Amino acid sequence: MTTLGERMLIDGELVAAGSGRTFDNINPATEEVIGAAPEAGAADVERAIGAARRAFDSTDWSTNTELRRHCLVQLRDALRENVEALRAGLIAETGTPVRLTAGVALEAAIGYLDHYIGLLETYSFERRLPVKEIGGAPVERVIRREAAGVIAAITPWNYPFYLNIAKVGAALAAGCTVVLKPAPDSPWSALALGEIAAEHTDLPAGVLNVVTTGDNGVAALLTSHPDVDGVTLTGSTLTGRKVMGAASETLKRVTLELGGKSAAVLLDDCDFMATIPMLAGAVCAHAGQGCTQLTRMLVPRARLEEALAYAKGTMERIPWGDPTDPDTLMGPVINARQRDNILRHYETAARDGRIVLGGRPTDRFERGYFVEPTLVTDVDPRAAIAQEEIFGPALVVLPYDDDEDAVRIADGTPYGLSAGVYGADVERAMAMARRFRTGTVSVAGAAWFDVESPFGGYKQSGLGREWGTEGLEDFLEVKTIAFPAGAV
Ligand code: NAD
């Protein structure tokens, strides 16, 4: 890789924006401008869509599984070779703590491509139904899964490298062509992916395109353009609604991975000392900027103060600050707007309940968009701090009266992304897990995240799934072909 992500990838070429304009990429830990990303205009986005359309319609990409496997292997290997440059860029543009880059944020995510490489060796894109007499004649049917077409992949800034890989990997494996549009706060990771793909793989021109823009109005073209067949978005629920609305005009298929306000239910036989430090620490990881973080902790009413003491003890010791320090678990939040949003949520929480820890603007650092880890209690489960996604290091502890009450509170938000249930009696915890209206549940601390587990949300947390075979199938159409039995 020559430079780290300064050019877009359109139709196989690494290019600047047609207008020559750029927008600043800002390091949230230092507030310094660290680079410039191309400011794509509508004409650039049109060109990317046109290239993806042509590549889908006129090359054998959608049917050549061996070529797809070969290109994904090349991409994985080239990403590995460039991992240090990718790490530096990711930390600089998002404030991701370096210790998280060994996992999902970067290194593990490169390896996740193996999931789709493996599926290209094992997945049956075609199956036959047994002979049956239909309409007075014996027929056979072939059920084919075919690439859905041109996919617009739109990603957020919190885990940008991982999310770019999750979407691009699945769509390319399925045989789709892609226009990737990252968030304005994390253009580098996507531009670098495009550059690496252009320089180190045999991807035919137009199969993968990467465009960057600071203007969501320009990005919205991807969700309404008639040549785009599907949109996959990870982002806020508000953006999900807009994207679904815009896509409805041409009835595009839409996969949405949206917000969450997930609950951890601690049953009355839960070992608080073993459980709460792990949960309270996880809420602060990457400054709370994760969609599945368990930001509400539900505890038996009689054990509320005990739970608060454990959570406070953990959260006041969280190592936070410089993301390049290997001890740091919590860096800055992404930008000044997010910091101010979080601080507004803290103010509302102080009015609606009790702040046990944090809750104020921090004067700990001279520069950077840092917020304090914050612990809140004594709020109604319907209060804003207990209902809205904060996307900051905030934990709300809510008491419940019995298991029924716990399920009611846990499911009592518009979201349905994830949940956890913790207790010594795993059968009882499993029974509760089955009741939650969420896409994933952890029982007794077991990890659900893995490339083989489908991931996604119920209710307003989304539509469709990533990973598993479901993640591939979200980018596949289903075709039934009937023919006279025995004819072929
Ligand atoms: P966002 O919704 O503001 O933006 C997401 C992406 O959509 C960005 O690339 C943005 O530029 C683009 N966008 C915004 N408006 C658009 C429009 N009208 N048309 C087309 N594109 C548009 O989200 P964010 O602030 O970047 O990220 C944080 C959100 O992402 C949180 O709500 C978080 O929960 C969610 N998230 C969800 C998951 C998940 O898998 N469920 C994972 C990570 C983040």
Side-chain angles (χ1 to χ4, degrees):
M1 192 164 50
T2 47
T3 54
L4 184 69
E6 288 177 355
R7 293 171 296 167
M8 302 188 289
L9 174 59
I10 300 181
D11 207 4
E13 307 265 302
L14 293 168
V15 294
S19 66
R21 289 173 55 215
T22 60
F23 61 97
D24 289 343
N25 192 347
I26 293 170
N27 182 329
T30 63
E31 302 181 38
E32 282 162 5
V33 175
I34 51 168
E39 177 70 75
D44 299 302
V45 174
E46 287 265 4
R47 220 156 68 72
I49 294 170
R53 182 80 262 163
R54 215 172 36 256
F56 187 80
D57 292 340
S58 63
T59 72
D60 69 348
W61 177 255
S62 66
T63 52
N64 190 338
T65 50
E66 181 43 38
L67 175 62
R68 304 209 296 272
R69 202 195 66 80
H70 163 75
C71 290
L72 287 177
V73 168
Q74 288 179 316
L75 182 61
R76 178 202 62 198
D77 293 348
L79 290 170
R80 280 201 178 126
E81 276 160 33
N82 286 281
V83 71
E84 291 315 322
L86 290 165
R87 193 190 318 275
L90 176 68
I91 295 169
E93 74 173 354
T94 60
T96 304
V98 62
R99 72 194 250 189
L100 300 186
T101 64
V104 174
L106 177 65
E107 285 183 53
I110 297 175
Y112 295 166
L113 283 173
D114 284 336
H115 173 65
Y116 290 117
I117 292 166
L119 278 180
L120 283 170
E121 287 156 11
T122 57
Y123 185 79
S124 299
F125 286 87
E126 206 171 281
R127 71 188 161 94
R128 284 189 177 216
L129 297 185
V131 176
K132 188 171 182 184
E133 194 165 300
I134 305 177
V139 296
E140 277 187 70
R141 283 156 295 165
V142 171
I143 314 299
R144 281 172 57 78
R145 291 192 187 257
E146 301 182 343
V150 174
I151 299 296
I154 304 176
T155 53
W157 41 260
N158 60 333
Y159 284 91
F161 182 83
Y162 158 75
L163 288 158
N164 294 338
I165 287 290
K167 295 191 181 308
V168 167
L172 293 184
C176 296
T177 58
V178 177
V179 181
L180 170 65
K181 205 287 306 167
D185 287 297
S186 55
W188 248 13
S189 299
L191 293 168
L193 176 66
E195 189 169 327
I196 289 169
E199 292 184 344
H200 300 279
T201 75
D202 296 323
L203 280 172
V207 163
L208 174 64
N209 305 272
V210 180
V211 293
T212 51
T213 170
D215 182 345
N216 286 334
V218 171
L221 243 186
L222 288 164
T223 64
S224 59
H225 198 288
D227 280 343
V228 174
D229 298 293
V231 183
T232 172
L233 165 82
T234 293
S236 61
T237 294
L238 182 65
T239 304
R241 280 189 205 111
K242 287 187 196 161
V243 165
M244 205 168 165
S248 70
E249 193 61 35
T250 45
L251 290 173
K252 298 186 197 316
R253 19 183 341 122
V254 178
T255 302
L256 303 172
E257 301 290 351
L258 307 176
K261 189 74 181 177
S262 302
V265 176
L266 277 54
L267 297 172
D268 49 20
D269 60 353
C270 172
D271 176 351
F272 278 13
M273 193 163 56
T275 307
I276 294 181
M278 180 261 299
L279 291 172
V283 165
C284 299
H286 197 12
Q289 302 171 112
C291 54
T292 56
Q293 270 155 318
L294 302 172
T295 52
R296 294 181 298 150
M297 184 183 289
L298 277 51
V299 299
R301 192 171 295 280
R303 299 185 71 186
L304 176 64
E305 292 305 323
E306 187 194 345
L308 289 170
Y310 280 119
K312 180 166 181 265
T314 303
M315 291 173 79
E316 59 196 3
R317 287 199 308 274
I318 291 293
W320 57 294
D322 178 2
T324 62
D325 179 336
D327 286 335
T328 296
L329 182 66
M330 180 178 136
V333 297
I334 192 73
N335 56 35
R337 188 168 32 86
Q338 269 302 103
R339 179 199 55 200
D340 296 345
N341 268 340
I342 293 166
L343 291 175
R344 267 196 298 279
H345 276 294
Y346 288 178
E347 277 172 28
T348 314
R351 280 201 299 277
D352 290 347
R354 169 161 60 113
I355 304 274
V356 181
L357 180 75
R360 293 176 309 261
T362 179
D363 51 11
R364 188 158 160 172
F365 306 101
E366 272 177 27
R367 317 278 325 239
Y369 309 121
F370 291 94
V371 292
E372 292 191 343
T374 292
L375 179 62
V376 179
T377 193
D378 291 350
V379 286
D380 189 287
R382 287 160 301 181
I385 192 77
Q387 286 284 318
E388 293 172 20
E389 183 177 54
I390 314 295
F391 235 52
L395 176 64
V396 184
V397 183
L398 300 164
Y400 66 83
D401 293 320
D402 53 30
D403 287 11
E404 277 308 306
D405 196 32
V407 174
R408 188 183 56 78
I409 297 171
D411 276 343
T413 78
Y415 297 112
L417 196 54
S418 195
V421 52
Y422 303 83
D425 180 348
V426 175
E427 291 238 0
R428 177 178 165 213
M430 282 292 290
M432 188 176 279
R434 290 195 182 92
R435 297 184 59 188
F436 293 135
R437 301 209 58 227
T438 61
T440 51
V441 188
S442 167
V443 171
W448 49 260
F449 184 82
D450 175 69
V451 288
E452 286 172 10
S453 324
F455 166 69
Y458 280 31
K459 301 194 297 187
Q460 294 187 32
S461 287
L463 281 179
R465 293 294 178 266
E466 270 170 355
W467 305 115
T469 46
E470 291 81 355
L472 184 74
E473 288 171 349
D474 264 12
F475 294 101
L476 295 170
E477 290 281 7
V478 183
K479 178 188 279 178
T480 300
I481 305 177
F483 56 93
V488 273

